[in-house]
Amino acid sequence: MTPGRALPVPGPGETDGQDTPEAPWHRVHPVSPLVRGWIAVVAIAFVYGQNTLSSFFGEEEPNPGPDFISRTPLMVSLLVGAGILLLILLGFFGTWWFTKYQITERHVNVNTGMVFRQQRQARIDRVQSIDIAQPLVARIFGLAELRFDVADSGSAAMNLAFVKLSEAHQLRNEILARAAGLKAPAPQAPPLPAQPDAVPVTGQTPDPAAPQEAALEAPAPGYASASASLAASERVVAVVPTGRLIGSILLRPSTILMVLGIIGLGIAMSTIEGFAPFYLLPAFLGMAGALWNNLNTGYNFRAATSADGLRLSYGLLDTRHQTVPPGRVQAIKVTAPFFWRPLGWYRVAVNVAGIGGGAANDAEQRSVLLPVGSYEDVLAVLSVVLPAPGVAAPRDFFAAAINGSGTEGGFVVSPPRVRPLSPLAHKRQGYALTDTALVARNGALHRTIAIVPHARTQGLTLSQGPLARRFGVVDLSLATIAGPVVPLVHQLDVASGRELFLEQADRAAAARRQTDSNHWLGDA
């Protein structure tokens, strides 16, 4: 694929939104199979080379190889190794040759497989987000992988691995522009040829080739120019310094529990005769792995706003560029852990269709919009994923939601009679309604708020256990897609809960009728 290539644009006679069967197919970068399978190549080369060399040059044979190696001349072994390498290269070539992708007006198609063929297709208007991932080896070659999340797929619908990094950025911008409903500008009519009898300007000589050269140099119309304008509009709104990231990791409850657990384990094992600190090595390795994963995924975190959504960049060894369109966010959660509150740090996560169904660690990582940030960072991120909060003073409202208590900010809280059930949280837990969303507030030590736009409310459930019946309260849960956000309003008065249950259903239905869930941008 040629860098700077523009995606096909409907011709003057084609209907907008229809597929173009003649859309060309493209191949990924030729070294893509090597980037995917380099571990297998290194493993085979190491085992075969070690056995071969030790058979012919070693004084002793600590790891004797197979008989067909030890009993054959060196040249034959080298030829066998060259044959194995040739087969691997042929396999890589076949994998690359049969991997193709096509982008039409409505779909992204990817064909893979040399023996068992597979064709995967994603509707562009159902694309939830597109990630650009760069594993360590891909970074060496300047390549990147496109990962598509599609609604109702349950996991990443498909990957496109690997293309040049610049091409990956261009493809992401163009596909998101189409998914957002951005319309390609109509093709401009070519300039009229110069009239033979036109009078040239004094001092200039008419050039017959001038019209053709002007047409070739003119920028290509279509999504390429639209995506270029989207890329140019990017503006950084939040950055996570390394010191703050390390501090947040050390102050997490999970980290503190792990440290206390290892200390307790060490004290307990020291009473055993013959105990050696070496026995605690597996516990140390497990804790180090968890800390490293948090550091690797949060390092160099940056959030930027653009016309097609919130763009996230992060990663130490494996870098990722993720775009979260505001029209795809189903629910938002802002968290203020107990040990972070003196430092004024918060965490923001979201539910987005297609992300929550992946692997647990990967889904959790990709659902985070801000791993640790200040209150100003939280407001900046919310301004992108919740552009219309529906209140007159958003700053004061969200301050009351995150750190306030009682009815400040228009919140409806639990009745005082539930104090025996929630002695610390009964003054905080409750909900508030804005013109566009429901905000549920919970927790006293570990504070959270869940924001669900009215148009994203999938369903409502009222529940009441034996103790809740005794105290005359109910819990109201809002259904949303799988993800880290579980919206729940705790221990409402029964009358208030029933009223909210009925009214919120009407609000959700009215908001969905006024919202286009497929397109979140107007025509370009």
Side-chain angles (χ1 to χ4, degrees):
M1 187 173 61
T2 303
R5 172 189 55 79
L7 292 178
V9 179
E14 296 174 345
T15 302
D16 185 25
Q18 299 297 321
D19 271 352
T20 53
E22 68 277 7
W25 288 86
H26 306 277
R27 287 192 172 87
V28 296
H29 198 276
V31 301
S32 298
L34 177 61
V35 175
R36 288 195 297 267
W38 68 273
I39 293 181
V41 174
V42 171
I44 293 174
F46 176 78
V47 173
Y48 189 85
Q50 184 188 39
N51 289 331
T52 302
L53 294 178
S54 61
S55 299
F56 289 98
F57 301 105
E59 296 180 357
E60 297 181 355
E61 191 174 353
N63 296 309
D67 292 341
F68 76 93
I69 292 178
S70 59
R71 296 176 181 175
T72 54
L74 175 61
M75 183 56 67
V76 175
S77 297
L78 293 178
L79 290 176
V80 172
I84 294 175
L85 178 61
L86 180 61
L87 289 176
I88 293 175
L89 293 179
L90 288 176
F92 282 174
F93 176 79
T95 303
W96 168 77
W97 181 261
F98 289 100
T99 301
K100 298 183 293 184
Y101 69 93
Q102 179 194 48
I103 301 176
T104 69
E105 286 299 311
R106 299 180 59 184
H107 297 99
V108 178
N109 300 309
V110 177
N111 287 354
T112 58
M114 183 169 56
V115 179
F116 300 97
R117 304 299 307 278
Q118 183 183 55
Q119 176 174 353
R120 306 196 68 174
Q121 183 181 78
R123 280 180 51 182
I124 287 181
D125 62 349
R126 304 300 290 168
V127 171
Q128 305 296 299
S129 64
I130 302 177
D131 293 359
I132 298 178
Q134 278 193 292
L136 181 60
V137 178
R139 291 172 62 185
I140 297 174
F141 290 96
L143 303 180
E145 175 186 11
L146 283 171
R147 298 177 180 174
F148 299 85
D149 289 309
V150 181
D152 304 328
S153 66
S155 61
M158 59 184 180
N159 299 345
L160 183 59
F162 290 87
V163 295
K164 289 184 177 179
L165 180 61
S166 59
E167 297 178 29
H169 281 285
Q170 181 186 355
L171 286 172
R172 180 194 62 180
N173 295 341
E174 294 176 4
I175 294 172
L176 284 178
R178 295 185 182 193
L182 207 62
K183 302 297 184 183
Q188 300 293 327
L192 295 175
Q195 297 299 323
D197 53 351
V199 180
V201 179
T202 304
Q204 295 184 356
T205 303
D207 185 0
Q212 288 76 8
E213 292 179 356
L216 291 176
E217 294 174 356
Y223 292 102
S225 58
S227 63
S229 64
L230 293 179
S233 64
E234 184 174 313
R235 180 173 61 86
V236 176
V237 297
V239 175
V240 177
T242 304
R244 184 195 298 170
L245 176 65
I246 295 175
S248 68
I249 294 173
L250 296 178
L251 292 176
R252 287 182 179 179
S254 57
T255 305
I256 296 175
L257 289 176
M258 281 193 296
V259 173
L260 294 177
I262 292 177
I263 293 175
L265 182 63
I267 295 174
M269 294 184 68
S270 63
T271 60
I272 302 175
E273 185 179 357
F275 166 74
F278 177 77
Y279 297 145
L280 293 176
L281 183 60
F284 279 112
L285 292 178
M287 185 180 71
L291 297 179
W292 167 253
N293 183 56
N294 293 324
L295 178 64
N296 185 37
T297 56
Y299 183 80
N300 199 25
F301 189 95
R302 187 186 66 171
T305 178
S306 67
D308 55 356
L310 188 68
R311 293 184 176 180
L312 311 175
S313 302
Y314 51 88
L316 179 57
L317 296 182
D318 299 342
T319 61
R320 175 172 289 183
H321 306 274
Q322 180 180 352
T323 300
V324 180
R328 304 306 200 207
V329 174
Q330 304 293 315
I332 308 165
K333 181 174 71 174
V334 181
T335 308
F338 177 74
F339 294 106
W340 290 12
R341 283 163 48 194
L343 301 172
W345 292 347
Y346 306 91
R347 175 186 174 93
V348 181
V350 293
N351 286 357
V352 176
I355 292 181
N361 291 336
D362 184 66
E364 180 181 359
Q365 168 193 336
R366 298 175 62 218
S367 299
V368 176
L369 299 188
L370 182 67
V372 55
S374 63
Y375 181 64
E376 296 299 327
D377 295 335
V378 173
L379 292 179
V381 171
L382 289 180
S383 67
V384 180
V385 296
L386 188 69
V391 292
R395 179 180 293 274
D396 297 335
F397 174 78
F398 286 112
I402 298 174
N403 294 317
S405 63
T407 59
E408 181 186 2
F411 276 82
V412 178
V413 298
S414 301
R417 61 177 178 273
V418 301
R419 178 176 298 176
L421 297 178
S422 303
L424 299 178
H426 72 280
K427 291 183 178 179
R428 254 190 59 82
Q429 60 190 13
Y431 75 93
L433 293 169
T434 73
D435 293 340
T436 57
L438 184 146
V439 181
R441 186 176 66 184
N442 290 293
L445 301 179
H446 185 87
R447 296 174 175 174
T448 64
I449 64 168
I451 307 169
V452 182
H454 297 319
R456 307 302 181 207
T457 303
Q458 307 289 330
L460 299 164
T461 303
L462 275 178
S463 59
Q464 188 181 47
L467 284 177
R469 280 199 298 273
R470 171 67 178 82
F471 286 88
V473 293
V474 294
D475 292 341
L476 176 68
S477 59
L478 290 82
T480 180
I481 62 173
V485 188
V486 182
L488 179 64
V489 183
H490 277 293
Q491 298 172 343
L492 279 179
D493 181 80
V494 172
S496 299
R498 288 175 177 171
E499 181 181 0
L500 176 62
F501 178 83
L502 297 175
E503 294 181 352
Q504 185 61 20
D506 295 336
R507 273 190 290 267
R512 280 196 297 271
R513 286 194 295 268
Q514 300 173 1
T515 303
D516 181 2
S517 61
N518 292 326
H519 296 155
W520 60 90
L521 288 179
D523 294 349

